[in-house]
Amino acid sequence: MPKDFRPLLDRLEPITLEEMTSIRLMNRIDSKYLANEDQLELLLDMVRQDYLVQETDGSRMANYSTLYLDDDQLTMYLNHHNRRLNRQKVRIRSYVDSNLNFFEVKTKNNHGRTKKKRFQVEDCNQWNTPQAADFLAQYSMYGIGLDEIAPKIRNYFKRITLVNRGRTERLTIDSMLRFHNMESGLDRDMDRLVVLEVKRDGNTPSPIMDIFRELRIHPSGFSKYCIGMALTTPGIKCGNFKTKLRKIEKITSI
């Protein structure tokens, strides 16, 4: 049974979504970290003096879902697995609570920068449309057409968003992660895993880094698409993810 973090979140001072959108981190550095629920419980108690929590319609945890698409050769999965520095993902990101859905092309370049292009769609499964075909033709680096890709995996998770009082840093905390493979039909729950991402304004001093060190939370790249596929696709090539999978197993079994 996943832990209930709401009592800890209720002790944090809130910030509205409108106030959050005004915080622009122009020279942004993004870093991911992996933890478990016990570490998150301690972290939420330790950040009370320095961080605010995003609150939307009275809720401090938001429900997210993402549908990932790829071709039959799993080009996007394998480019990440094979450590290509320039790579893309194609997905529909759903903000479940507000019923907002976006068709997205997410690009990471060889300088570690991530950019997203997206447009809004009405339904979380609305991917096979003329608008999506034109959008993919414009932004895909692989030359893959919409008729060559299909849904591969869907994930579900809850997100907490914190911002420091100096408004120079955002911290997203994803927990209760679940995968459903659209082709194999396999499901995988990762309730103990917590994925944290820090978005900082350059090298501005960060209170969270001291907390991470104290809790022994270390930097670690993490792709929800790739890890989900590796865990739910029998026979898939995943050798380069085995160290990551062992690390996840160790973190979540502590």
Side-chain angles (χ1 to χ4, degrees):
M1 178 70 67
K3 290 191 175 185
D4 184 0
F5 297 109
R6 287 174 297 181
L8 285 167
L9 293 174
D10 288 343
R11 297 165 68 183
L12 295 175
E13 185 178 335
I15 183 171
T16 66
L17 179 60
E18 290 74 20
E19 291 172 310
M20 286 290 295
T21 55
S22 68
I23 300 169
R24 300 184 182 276
L25 305 179
M26 303 305 292
N27 184 28
R28 197 169 86 182
I29 297 174
D30 297 354
S31 305
K32 286 185 179 178
Y33 299 78
L34 298 181
N36 59 41
E37 286 191 317
D38 295 335
Q39 290 169 309
L40 177 57
E41 192 170 37
L42 294 169
L43 182 146
L44 290 175
D45 185 58
M46 296 168 73
V47 298
R48 281 186 295 156
Q49 300 302 316
D50 297 306
Y51 288 83
L52 312 174
V53 61
Q54 180 178 305
E55 180 177 289
T56 306
D57 297 329
S59 177
R60 299 184 176 192
M61 293 186 77
N63 292 288
Y64 281 60
S65 177
T66 317
L67 177 69
Y68 288 93
L69 302 106
D70 210 334
D71 61 9
D72 290 343
Q73 292 74 41
L74 300 181
T75 297
M76 285 171 264
Y77 169 86
L78 290 173
N79 279 342
H80 193 145
H81 174 274
N82 295 338
R83 299 171 179 166
R84 284 196 58 176
L85 298 180
N86 292 301
R87 55 182 186 259
Q88 285 185 326
K89 306 288 191 324
V90 177
R91 66 189 194 181
I92 294 180
R93 166 57 60 84
S94 298
Y95 303 86
V96 177
D97 302 319
S98 54
N99 194 30
L100 289 173
N101 308 284
F102 294 90
F103 186 99
E104 299 182 344
V105 176
K106 183 178 179 181
T107 304
K108 187 167 186 177
N109 65 25
N110 58 358
H111 300 292
R113 296 285 181 179
T114 300
K115 294 183 179 180
K116 286 191 294 186
K117 298 291 185 180
R118 69 182 190 176
F119 69 93
Q120 188 170 348
V121 296
E122 291 184 6
D123 185 83
C124 63
N125 297 301
Q126 188 180 3
W127 61 274
N128 194 6
T129 66
Q131 185 180 7
D134 292 342
F135 188 83
L136 190 63
Q138 182 176 359
Y139 293 112
S140 171
M141 66 167 58
Y142 302 127
I144 298 173
L146 191 70
D147 59 342
E148 299 174 86
I149 63 175
K152 300 300 179 184
I153 197 166
R154 189 188 295 278
N155 66 39
Y156 308 86
F157 58 95
K158 291 184 179 291
R159 172 166 289 182
I160 300 164
T161 302
L162 305 181
V163 61
N164 68 335
R165 292 184 182 274
R167 309 302 204 267
T168 59
E169 178 180 80
R170 286 199 300 268
L171 171 64
T172 59
I173 303 168
D174 297 341
S175 63
M176 303 182 200
L177 180 59
R178 294 170 170 81
F179 298 108
H180 173 69
N181 192 300
M182 312 297 287
E183 295 187 338
S184 71
L186 294 176
D187 295 294
R188 181 68 182 264
D189 293 353
M190 306 191 74
D191 287 336
R192 289 272 294 161
L193 183 68
V194 177
V195 182
L196 306 105
E197 184 167 10
V198 181
K199 300 172 173 57
R200 302 168 60 193
D201 191 359
N203 290 313
T204 303
S206 166
I208 200 66
M209 296 303 166
D210 291 333
I211 294 174
F212 282 169
R213 281 190 286 271
E214 186 172 344
L215 296 177
R216 297 183 180 179
I217 296 173
H218 305 293
S220 180
F222 185 88
S223 164
K224 293 185 180 75
Y225 173 53
C226 292
I227 295 301
M229 289 291 286
L231 290 170
T232 62
T233 310
I236 196 171
K237 182 180 180 181
C238 62
N240 286 340
F241 294 138
K242 284 186 176 179
T243 300
K244 183 80 62 185
L245 293 170
R246 285 195 295 268
K247 180 175 182 178
I248 292 168
E249 183 178 356
K250 179 180 179 181
I251 290 171
T252 55
S253 62
I254 293 174

